[in-house]
Amino acid sequence: MKRFLKMRWITASVLVVGAVVFFSFKSGDSRNFQIAKNLDIFNSIVKELDMFYVDTLDPNKTVREGIDAMLYSLDPYTEYYPEEDRSELEQMLKGSYGGIGSIIRYEPKLKRTVIVEPYENMPAAEVGLKAGDILLEIDGKDLAGNTDVSKMLRGQVGTSFQLKVERPGEEKPLDFTVVRKSIQLPFIPYYGKLDNNVGYISLSTFSGNPSKEFKKAFLDLKKQGITSLVIDLRNNGGGLLEEAVEIANFFLPRGKMIVTTKGKIKQASNSYKTLREPLDLDIPVAVLVNSGTASASEILAGALQDYDRAVIVGNRTFGKGLVQVPRTLPYGGTMKVTTSKYYIPSGRCVQAIDYKHRNPDGSVGRIPDSLTTVFHTAAGREVRDGGVTPDVAVEQEKLPNILFYLVNDNLIFNYATQYCQKHPTIASPENFEVTDADYAEFKEMVKKADFKYDQQSEKILKSLKEMAEFEGYMKDASDEFKALEQKLTHNLDRDLDYFSKDIKNMIAQDIIKRYYFQRGGIIQQLKDDDSLNEAVKVLGDSAKYKEMLSAPLAKN
C-alpha cells in the first residue's frame, strides 16, 4: 500500500513538473513555436505543390508572390529585393544609377519604347536624343515588343552601346553611341528670384545629398538680394531622414530636436537634432506642400511649422510617418523593412493611414479628422497629426476630364514633337506662350485623329435617366432631362475652346521641356500657380506673416 501511494506521489509529481515545463515553454516560447510551425507549413505547401500540382511551377515566381503578398499585408513600404533587383533599391536610396538619363515609355500601339523626357546634361541629351524618338535597336537587337527596355539601357557606368532610333520627320533611322553615366536625378531642378525679391527653390527629393545643393542655391539667392524664401516640396516623396534634418538646420538654431524615431527594439529608436549653426534665422519662409508631399518632406515642413519658423501653404500632405531600413538576407537579397515611426517636434506623428487596423475587406483608409489628435507648436498654435495640415489652405486645381484623355492618347506629346520639328528654337520659358494659331493647329490635329473621350457627366445622366424611367418619374421630368442632354452632349469644338487655358498650359509645358528641360517646365508651371501666389502674398505682408506664426490671442 505504501509502495502504491509512493508511486502515485511520484507519478503526480512527474505530471505536475511536466505540466509546469510544458506551460512554461508554451508561455515563454509560444511565439517562436508559432513562427517555426508556420514556416514548416509554408515549406511543406511549396514542396507539395511542386510535386503534385498539375502544371510545372516556377519556384522563384511562386515564392516571390507569397513573399510580396505577406509584406504588402503589413504596409506598402516593407519590400523584398532579390539580388537581381538590388540596383533598384540602391537607386532609391542614393537617387542615382548607371544609365542614359531619360524618362522612357512603352507605346502599345507602336509596340516600341519611346524617349519621353531626356534629363539635362545626361547621356541621352548629350548625344542628341529627343523626346519622341522611337527606340529600334540596342547593339543590333530588335526592341519590337520588348516592354522592359529600361533594363537594357541601364548598366555599369562607363560602358557603351549602339542605339538605333526612328525620329518623326526623318526619312532614315539615326544611330547613336551612348556611354552610360551615373545618373543623378536633379535635387533642385530650378531655383530663382521672383518678383518682390522672393526667392524660390524647388526641391524634388531627399535621396542622395540634396542639402549641399540646397545650401548653394540659398546662398546664391541671398547674394541676389532676396528678402524672403519659398521652398517647394510639392510631389517630393521623401528620401533620407538625415537630409531633412540638415536642411531644417539652415533655418533653425543648433541643438533643436527635429525628429524622433520610436520602434519595437532599442536600435530603432533615435533622436535627431540640429548640429550646426544656422544659415539664416530671420528670413521669412513659406513652404509649398500637397498630397504628394511625403516622408522626409513632411519632416522638414512639419518641423518648420512646429517651431513657427515657416508658413505652410497648399494642401494636406500624404501622411507617411514610417521609417524603413535595409536588412541583408541570404543569397544576396535585401529587405526594406518598416522598423519605427517618426515624431516631429510637437510630438505628433504624421502617419495618416492605419495599416494595423484594416477594414473587413482588407482595405485601408486615412485616419478621419475626428480621430486625429491636437498638438501645439512652440508658440502654442494648434496642429494635428495624420499628415501636415497647411496654415494657408489652397484648393487643389481640378483638371478637366478632356485633358486626361488628350494626355493619355499622346495627342499633346505628339503635337509637341511636331512643333519642335518646325521650330529649332523658341523664346525663353518666361516669355514662351502657345499662340492662338498654334492652338488652332493643335485642334485640327485632334479632330483628324478621330479623338474620343469619356464624359462622366453623360454616363451619370444616362444612369439617372434609366433609374427615373424604372421608378416612374420620367414622364414628369422629361423636359428637364432633354435640357440637360443638350448641355451635356459631346461637342469636341466647344470643349477644346472651353478648356483651352488648361490645355494650352499643358502643351506649353511639354514644348518648353524639349528645349529647357525640367527647369523650363517648372518656370511655365509657376506662371499661374495658386499656391505660389498665396505664399508670395503672405510673405509680402510682414504683419500677417508674424500674426500667423504667433500664439493665438486668449479668448475672454
Side-chain angles (χ1 to χ4, degrees):
M1 184 67 179
K2 285 183 180 181
R3 187 181 174 191
F4 174 72
L5 290 172
K6 188 175 181 180
M7 288 298 295
R8 283 185 60 187
W9 182 85
I10 292 172
T11 303
S13 299
V14 169
L15 288 172
V16 169
V17 171
V20 169
V21 170
F22 173 76
F23 284 110
S24 62
F25 167 78
K26 191 173 182 181
S27 60
D29 294 324
S30 173
R31 189 169 188 80
N32 290 335
F33 171 72
Q34 293 298 330
I35 291 172
K37 168 189 167 184
N38 284 289
L39 285 174
D40 196 23
I41 292 170
F42 183 81
N43 185 45
S44 297
I45 288 173
V46 173
K47 287 182 176 178
E48 293 292 315
L49 286 172
D50 188 51
M51 185 174 293
F52 295 110
Y53 187 69
V54 62
D55 294 322
T56 302
L57 297 180
D58 178 343
N60 290 328
K61 184 174 182 290
T62 302
V63 174
R64 177 65 188 271
E65 287 180 352
I67 291 171
D68 289 344
M70 172 180 65
L71 298 182
Y72 193 78
S73 70
L74 304 175
D75 65 58
Y77 314 111
T78 298
E79 297 176 296
Y80 166 61
Y81 294 85
E83 186 175 19
E84 59 269 23
D85 292 343
R86 281 185 64 183
S87 60
E88 183 183 340
L89 178 61
E90 289 174 5
Q91 178 193 340
M92 186 186 305
L93 296 174
K94 298 177 182 177
S96 64
Y97 58 94
I100 70 168
S102 174
I103 297 173
I104 60 173
R105 177 176 62 222
Y106 182 77
E107 294 293 349
K109 290 181 182 178
L110 299 174
K111 294 185 179 179
R112 295 278 184 184
T113 297
V114 176
I115 297 285
V116 174
E117 184 183 338
Y119 290 121
E120 192 170 10
N121 300 321
M122 290 292 128
E126 287 175 343
V127 300
L129 289 169
K130 296 182 178 181
D133 286 351
I134 302 165
L135 307 190
L136 301 178
E137 295 179 3
I138 292 179
D139 286 336
K141 184 175 180 180
D142 188 4
L143 301 177
N146 189 331
T147 60
D148 201 10
V149 171
S150 61
K151 284 188 176 179
M152 299 177 69
L153 295 175
R154 293 182 184 183
Q156 191 172 344
V157 173
T159 57
S160 64
F161 61 92
Q162 298 298 312
L163 179 65
K164 180 174 286 190
V165 306
E166 177 187 322
R167 177 166 294 169
E170 298 283 347
E171 293 183 6
K172 296 180 180 179
L174 304 176
D175 292 297
F176 298 92
T177 300
V178 187
V179 180
R180 297 181 180 94
K181 285 173 61 174
S182 178
I183 306 303
Q184 178 64 66
L185 304 181
F187 301 132
I188 298 176
Y190 172 69
Y191 75 91
K193 188 172 82 165
L194 310 177
D195 294 336
N196 302 319
N197 293 322
V198 177
Y200 171 88
I201 299 177
S202 173
L203 183 60
S204 64
T205 181
F206 285 87
S207 296
N209 192 10
S211 58
K212 286 186 177 179
E213 295 279 333
F214 189 99
K215 183 178 180 179
K216 287 179 185 176
F218 178 59
L219 293 178
D220 185 31
L221 288 172
K222 288 195 75 173
K223 286 181 182 177
Q224 295 179 41
I226 65 165
T227 55
S228 59
L229 177 68
V230 174
I231 303 172
D232 195 343
L233 297 180
R234 290 175 295 182
N235 300 315
N236 184 325
L240 299 177
L241 178 151
E242 293 85 355
E243 288 296 301
V245 176
E246 186 72 16
I247 294 175
N249 195 171
F250 296 156
F251 306 100
L252 293 169
R254 183 176 184 176
K256 289 289 186 181
M257 183 69 71
I258 301 299
V259 61
T260 301
T261 63
K262 298 176 184 178
K264 185 164 62 177
I265 61 174
K266 187 177 180 181
Q267 293 90 326
S269 300
N270 288 292
S271 296
Y272 299 83
K273 294 183 178 181
T274 53
L275 301 175
R276 307 179 219 294
E277 293 303 317
L279 297 178
D280 195 321
L281 290 176
D282 301 315
I283 189 170
V285 179
V287 180
L288 305 184
V289 298
N290 65 3
S291 58
T293 303
S295 193
S297 295
E298 292 172 292
I299 291 176
L300 177 57
L304 293 177
Q305 186 180 52
D306 283 353
Y307 283 119
D308 307 291
R309 183 62 187 87
V311 171
I312 311 301
V313 180
N315 313 114
R316 187 177 173 185
T317 62
F318 181 82
K320 181 181 181 290
L322 305 176
V323 181
Q324 289 76 44
V325 298
R327 300 287 301 173
T328 302
L329 298 176
Y331 301 101
T334 305
M335 181 168 64
K336 181 166 65 72
V337 58
T338 300
T339 57
S340 57
K341 294 181 179 179
Y342 67 74
Y343 299 82
I344 51 180
S346 62
R348 55 181 169 151
C349 178
V350 302
Q351 182 61 27
I353 298 176
D354 187 357
Y355 294 106
K356 188 174 181 181
H357 302 99
R358 293 175 178 261
N359 299 320
D361 63 354
S363 63
V364 295
R366 287 184 74 96
I367 299 169
D369 290 343
S370 59
L371 296 182
T372 57
T373 305
V374 173
F375 294 82
H376 294 88
T377 69
R381 297 184 299 136
E382 285 191 1
V383 288
R384 289 181 173 270
D385 55 8
V388 175
T389 302
D391 303 306
V392 179
V394 178
E395 187 175 351
Q396 202 151 10
E397 185 182 6
K398 294 180 180 178
L399 296 175
N401 194 38
I402 188 174
L403 185 57
F404 169 80
Y405 289 97
L406 288 170
V407 171
N408 196 55
D409 284 8
N410 292 326
L411 288 170
I412 290 178
F413 182 83
N414 292 340
Y415 175 75
T417 301
Q418 292 177 21
Y419 184 95
C420 294
Q421 292 168 16
K422 300 175 184 176
H423 300 83
T425 61
I426 61 171
S428 67
E430 291 84 357
N431 298 317
F432 178 81
E433 63 177 25
V434 174
T435 66
D436 290 341
D438 295 333
Y439 194 61
E441 189 178 55
F442 170 75
K443 289 196 295 183
E444 199 61 36
M445 186 194 82
V446 171
K447 292 173 191 173
K448 287 180 180 177
D450 193 27
F451 173 60
K452 297 286 190 296
Y453 63 103
D454 187 18
Q455 278 192 320
Q456 293 300 316
S457 52
E458 278 190 10
K459 279 188 172 183
I460 294 170
L461 180 62
K462 184 180 178 182
S463 298
L464 182 62
K465 190 175 179 181
E466 290 172 354
M467 187 57 66
E469 287 177 344
F470 176 76
E471 294 184 348
Y473 297 118
M474 193 61 202
K475 185 177 179 181
D476 295 332
S478 59
D479 291 340
E480 287 84 351
F481 272 107
K482 285 178 182 176
L484 268 174
E485 282 174 344
Q486 287 178 353
K487 290 183 178 180
L488 298 178
T489 300
H490 256 325
N491 187 323
L492 183 59
D493 271 318
R494 180 195 64 195
D495 288 349
L496 287 172
D497 288 337
Y498 187 79
F499 298 112
S500 61
K501 180 184 174 183
D502 291 314
I503 298 170
K504 276 185 174 182
N505 181 49
M506 189 67 75
I507 293 171
Q509 280 201 49
D510 209 325
I511 290 173
I512 288 172
K513 282 195 285 187
R514 310 288 180 108
Y515 300 88
Y516 299 101
F517 303 96
Q518 278 187 300
R519 172 181 170 275
I522 292 172
I523 291 172
Q524 172 63 26
Q525 176 192 324
L526 297 180
K527 289 178 184 177
D528 186 22
D529 191 315
D530 292 338
S531 291
L532 178 63
N533 293 338
E534 284 296 324
V536 170
K537 191 187 299 182
V538 171
L539 293 172
D541 187 339
S542 58
K544 183 178 180 181
Y545 178 82
K546 289 176 183 176
E547 181 186 344
M548 292 185 69
L549 297 178
S550 300
L553 296 173
K555 295 179 181 179
N556 295 327

